[in-house]
Amino acid sequence: MSASSDPSHEFGLPEGYFAQSAFLADEFVEELSRVDLEFARKNAVFESKPFVRTFERALDRLQAAQGALGATIAKLEQTASSSAADHGKKMARLKKTFATVGGSFERLETQISEVSSNTIRIGEQLDTVAKEKERAEAIKELVEFYAELNAGNTRHLDALLEGGAEGMLKVAHTLRRLNTIVVDNEYSAPSDAAAKRQIEIYSENFEKAMLSSFETAYRDGDVPSMGVAARTLDAFNGGVSVVKVYINQHPFFLSSMVGHSTDSADDGADANAMPDASDMTARPPPPDRRLAQLYSDTRAVMYKDW
């Protein structure tokens, strides 16, 4: 507090008197009348009028200070009340704003969920349409192949065969579907007889060519070419014919058949070597040597081929 604004000077009190933490009325009266008391002691005469005038001036100043303080307090209370009201209004507006923002976010989340659901449904519909389109294109292509074969034209199928492994695989699928159509339309019109005959001839030639390719690759040890031919024939007829060719040419199966024919003469001797075969309490006979040899040969072939 600066010296100019210190109210202690107005009462003739020491600087900062009213700023002290403890206030005693007796000390205040004594300090207020200190000048008058010193004058009375010096003259050894007690005059009441100086004390009265001093206390009246102090009382006037105290009343004025009380009024000013009351006005200041009232102004501060009014300001605080106004600030509290403004704060309450701002908080209400802020709360309303938060509620509006929360509602907006909820609506936005709902809209996003709806858009996501619609997007999923649209995606599913597009996927269905794409599948239907692919199916329609496949049916259209199959009808075109059927019409060409009915006219004796195999140009498109021949072109596919020249397209490598993918082309041969597509020819295999196409011929399999065409053969299914021929079987399902057994009592079709006579005009379709040419197509049926052409499909059968082309399928037979195609199967022979693939089997020949498999046999050549097998003899040459060309495993990738064997795989192409095997996959193509699997798409054509389930791979039955290529399995038969593989079995008929594999040395393991040939040696097994030869061994079976040479060992058949020993069956009687082996049967006589087990006189207790019908006795359930007898010790089990030793493992069959032919079965053990078959397991051993099978294991060796699997390790060799695969």
Side-chain angles (χ1 to χ4, degrees):
M1 181 183 295
S2 62
S4 60
S5 61
D6 189 356
S8 303
H9 296 293
E10 298 180 4
F11 294 90
L13 300 174
E15 183 177 350
Y17 183 84
F18 292 109
Q20 60 186 355
S21 58
F23 178 81
L24 297 176
D26 294 342
E27 292 180 1
F28 173 70
V29 172
E30 183 180 355
E31 188 67 29
L32 191 65
S33 59
R34 178 174 52 81
V35 177
D36 295 331
L37 287 173
E38 290 177 356
F39 181 81
R41 289 192 188 101
K42 184 182 295 185
N43 297 319
V45 178
F46 178 77
E47 291 288 341
S48 61
K49 289 183 179 181
F51 289 94
V52 172
R53 286 194 294 270
T54 298
F55 291 141
E56 285 179 349
R57 287 194 301 269
L59 183 61
D60 292 338
R61 292 191 184 97
L62 287 174
Q63 289 178 348
Q66 183 181 11
L69 181 62
T72 302
I73 292 173
K75 184 178 180 180
L76 290 175
E77 288 179 348
Q78 183 179 3
T79 303
S81 177
S82 177
S83 299
D86 292 340
H87 179 71
K89 292 178 181 178
K90 290 179 180 178
M91 291 301 297
R93 288 196 299 269
L94 184 61
K95 185 177 180 181
K96 185 177 180 181
T97 302
F98 275 123
T100 303
V101 172
S104 299
F105 272 114
E106 290 180 358
R107 289 193 298 272
L108 181 60
E109 185 177 2
T110 303
Q111 291 174 357
I112 291 174
S113 178
E114 292 176 355
V115 170
S116 300
S117 301
N118 293 332
T119 303
I120 293 173
R121 287 196 296 269
I122 291 172
E124 292 175 350
Q125 292 174 358
L126 289 175
D127 185 57
T128 303
V129 170
K131 290 180 180 179
E132 292 296 331
K133 183 180 178 180
E134 291 177 359
R135 184 180 178 185
E137 290 177 352
I139 293 174
K140 178 184 176 182
E141 188 178 28
L142 200 63
V143 171
E144 290 176 352
F145 280 125
Y146 187 88
E148 290 177 358
L149 289 171
N150 193 33
N153 183 6
T154 61
R155 179 169 51 85
H156 285 169
L157 288 175
D158 296 339
L160 287 175
L161 286 176
E162 296 176 358
E166 294 297 329
M168 289 187 291
L169 194 63
K170 186 172 183 179
V171 171
H173 285 294
T174 301
L175 291 176
R176 186 168 187 171
R177 291 168 182 169
L178 289 173
N179 279 290
T180 302
I181 294 174
V182 170
V183 172
D184 292 341
N185 295 274
E186 184 178 357
Y187 302 102
S188 58
S191 58
D192 296 332
K196 179 179 179 181
R197 180 60 181 164
Q198 191 67 32
I199 291 170
E200 292 174 351
I201 295 174
Y202 199 93
S203 299
E204 184 178 354
N205 294 334
F206 175 76
E207 184 178 14
K208 289 179 180 179
M210 289 295 102
L211 289 174
S212 177
S213 175
F214 179 83
E215 292 175 356
T216 302
Y218 180 75
R219 286 193 297 269
D220 296 339
D222 187 358
V223 177
S225 298
M226 289 174 60
V228 171
R231 283 192 296 270
T232 303
L233 288 169
D234 179 67
F236 176 71
N237 59 6
V240 177
S241 57
V242 72
V243 171
K244 290 180 180 179
V245 170
Y246 180 76
I247 292 175
N248 291 336
Q249 291 195 4
H250 201 286
F252 172 76
F253 298 103
L254 295 176
S255 61
S256 298
M257 288 186 290
V258 173
H260 177 72
S261 62
T262 56
D263 291 341
S264 60
D266 298 334
D267 290 342
D270 291 341
N272 294 329
M274 295 186 295
D276 299 331
S278 60
D279 188 0
M280 301 298 294
T281 61
R283 293 176 62 85
D288 187 278
R289 61 180 181 83
R290 292 185 298 274
L291 183 60
Q293 185 63 38
L294 179 61
Y295 286 154
S296 178
D297 293 344
T298 303
R299 188 179 297 107
V301 169
M302 290 177 62
Y303 281 121
K304 178 182 177 182
D305 287 0
W306 303 101

